[in-house]
Amino acid sequence: MSKFATSRRGFIKTGAAGASMLALPAYLRSTAARASGVVNVWTYANFIPDDFKAEFEKETGIQINVRLVDDQGKQFNLLAAEAPEPTVDIVTVAGHRFLQFIDSELLAPLDTDRLTHWGNINPVYSESDWATINGNKWGAPILSGAEVLAYNTEVVSEEEVKSWDVMFDPKYQGQTAYIIQDMMSVMMLYMGYDGNMIEYKDNPERAAEVVTEVRDFLIEHKPMVRKYYDSGAEIQQMFVNQDVVLAHAWNGPIATLIADGFPVDMTIPKEGTYGFVYTLNVTNNGPNQDNAYKLIDALLASPEVGAAMTRSSGFISTFKGVDQHLSELERKASSFTDEELEGLQFFRAEANDLKYELVDPAVEEIKAA
């Protein structure tokens, strides 16, 4: 869990100084290495820093076409609809959703020999159990994050947010928000169940009972919710507008708010939460595979790029040596306390088929209730 000890309480936005750190490696800058064409990427907002994108395109002649995604399920459905000849070359898959994409033959095994900078990734991420499936690597870890309880510090006290209970306190009715699917896993943990559902892998009836209980609980407390939101930008705006004072959210968008000076903070309540790692993945039969590997390798090339990715996204870089390129304020801005980290678990994929067969319909039922 110490891997998260270097990130929290906000990030400083990339400034002019940040732009100067994003020079590409020499082998990409050589004229002989220039390649015309494009690389099509589906990823989240700010995961590819603007300065890096501009420099990569200038030095390689490869245009990066970004299509923003905001949900793993939507991305899966879009890619599945295009199979077996997708228009996209790189997708951004969270480690705990690997099996769904792999079993549907939507991803190509990652050839790490084509990534000269693979060794720049902290092995805590690149060599962890979830990263290898069927003997293959399937993605390059770039950023990690955690689900947090975010709150307006001018309205909600630090003592109140020690438990997820506060999300259901009647005095905050109509002032909370969350992404339903993400909230489902945390609520399983909150109720004492296994949010990864591995415990129920061989007992689908029990799994269904757990999901039903969580679904009914969230339906019962639906009046508490101002809005079921979809994107990080949306929850940021709700906090800025003071539409909400409490939210279940990912740490990245909340960290950015904190850095911008808004009276918002975040914590991991005593019942715990889940963390994950975002990876860049080469699609099966993508049209520009060579360019896909060039882009991924360029992103992995230096800790300066990792630091820029952290600044632009608000999530935690997986690259070695990133701390050396963050200011003391930036490092302090993103650290969780030891007490908070005790409640952090990582998403695992072993029971994903069972889990999402139950959770996805439950999400729609909550929305419709």
Side-chain angles (χ1 to χ4, degrees):
M1 292 187 182
S2 60
K3 67 189 76 174
F4 277 88
T6 59
S7 285
R8 183 194 173 186
R9 309 254 189 249
F11 293 92
I12 304 302
K13 288 185 175 180
T14 305
S20 66
M21 298 191 298
L22 302 183
L24 299 182
Y27 81 96
L28 280 177
R29 298 197 302 270
S30 67
T31 302
R34 290 180 61 85
S36 62
V38 301
V39 57
N40 302 312
V41 185
W42 293 354
T43 193
Y44 290 79
N46 302 317
F47 273 26
I48 298 180
D50 290 341
D51 292 331
F52 169 85
K53 181 177 182 293
E55 185 71 8
F56 179 87
E57 291 176 337
K58 175 183 176 182
E59 298 295 345
T60 66
I62 300 170
Q63 179 179 328
I64 303 173
N65 296 325
V66 174
R67 177 175 181 171
L68 295 181
V69 297
D70 59 21
D71 178 81
Q72 291 285 291
K74 291 178 185 177
Q75 182 178 224
F76 172 83
N77 291 336
L78 286 169
L79 189 56
E82 291 192 352
E85 296 182 356
T87 60
V88 63
D89 305 296
I90 296 173
V91 290
T92 308
V93 181
H96 60 286
R97 296 298 291 258
F98 270 1
L99 284 176
Q100 184 181 26
F101 286 78
I102 294 167
D103 290 346
S104 298
E105 299 183 347
L106 301 179
L107 303 180
L110 192 69
D111 184 356
T112 58
D113 289 340
R114 297 182 66 177
L115 299 172
T116 58
H117 299 98
W118 178 259
N120 288 354
I121 305 172
N122 188 323
V124 167
Y125 301 102
S126 62
E127 307 306 321
S128 59
D129 291 343
W130 61 263
T132 302
I133 298 175
N134 301 331
N136 292 309
K137 304 289 187 187
W138 295 91
I142 53 168
L143 294 163
S144 62
E147 299 182 79
V148 299
L149 176 56
Y151 60 103
N152 184 315
T153 57
E154 294 180 343
V155 180
V156 185
S157 71
E158 188 172 344
E159 188 63 29
E160 288 179 286
V161 296
K162 291 186 179 297
S163 170
W164 287 106
D165 287 340
V166 71
M167 288 287 289
F168 312 104
D169 189 327
K171 74 178 180 178
Y172 297 121
Q173 182 170 333
Q175 300 178 78
T176 73
Y178 51 82
I179 299 172
I180 303 176
Q181 187 180 67
D182 296 340
M183 187 68 159
M184 291 282 289
S185 297
V186 171
M187 287 298 96
M188 290 181 206
L189 198 60
Y190 168 74
M191 294 179 177
Y193 301 127
D194 176 10
N196 283 317
M197 305 208 80
I198 297 170
E199 184 178 336
Y200 321 117
K201 188 175 181 181
D202 298 321
N203 190 351
E205 293 81 9
R206 180 55 180 155
E209 290 173 356
V210 169
V211 172
T212 297
E213 183 178 345
V214 173
R215 179 202 66 190
D216 292 348
F217 177 84
L218 292 179
I219 290 174
E220 177 187 354
H221 292 88
K222 193 169 182 176
M224 292 294 306
V225 184
R226 174 65 176 262
K227 187 177 183 181
Y228 302 129
Y229 69 93
D230 293 316
S231 70
E234 193 174 1
I235 192 58
Q236 287 175 329
Q237 195 61 51
M238 282 192 284
F239 269 115
V240 170
N241 293 344
Q242 298 186 357
D243 293 330
V244 299
V245 298
L246 286 162
H248 162 283
W250 295 106
N251 64 306
I254 304 306
T256 302
L257 277 183
I258 296 167
D260 286 345
F262 289 99
V264 177
D265 207 342
M266 58 185 172
T267 188
I268 296 174
K270 64 183 181 182
E271 296 91 355
T273 194
Y274 286 101
F276 70 99
V277 178
Y278 276 123
T279 66
L280 293 179
N281 313 80
V282 177
T283 58
N284 204 10
N285 298 320
N288 306 288
Q289 191 172 95
D290 288 343
N291 290 347
Y293 275 97
K294 285 186 174 71
L295 175 58
I296 293 174
D297 202 36
L299 283 166
L300 301 180
S302 68
E304 291 93 340
V305 173
M309 292 170 74
T310 287
R311 291 189 188 96
S312 63
S313 71
F315 286 107
I316 305 158
S317 175
T318 61
F319 299 177
K320 297 176 183 175
V322 165
D323 283 0
Q324 300 173 27
H325 302 280
L326 297 173
S327 69
E328 182 179 355
L329 177 60
E330 289 170 332
R331 290 193 295 271
K332 287 181 178 179
S334 55
S335 62
F336 288 105
T337 67
D338 290 342
E339 182 181 2
E340 289 170 319
L341 287 173
E342 287 177 3
L344 180 62
Q345 300 183 34
F346 283 92
F347 281 118
R348 293 170 58 186
E350 291 92 327
N352 271 2
D353 285 346
L354 171 65
K355 177 177 178 178
Y356 291 106
E357 284 175 4
L358 296 169
V359 167
D360 289 348
V363 168
E364 297 307 314
E365 291 163 359
I366 294 168
K367 290 178 181 178

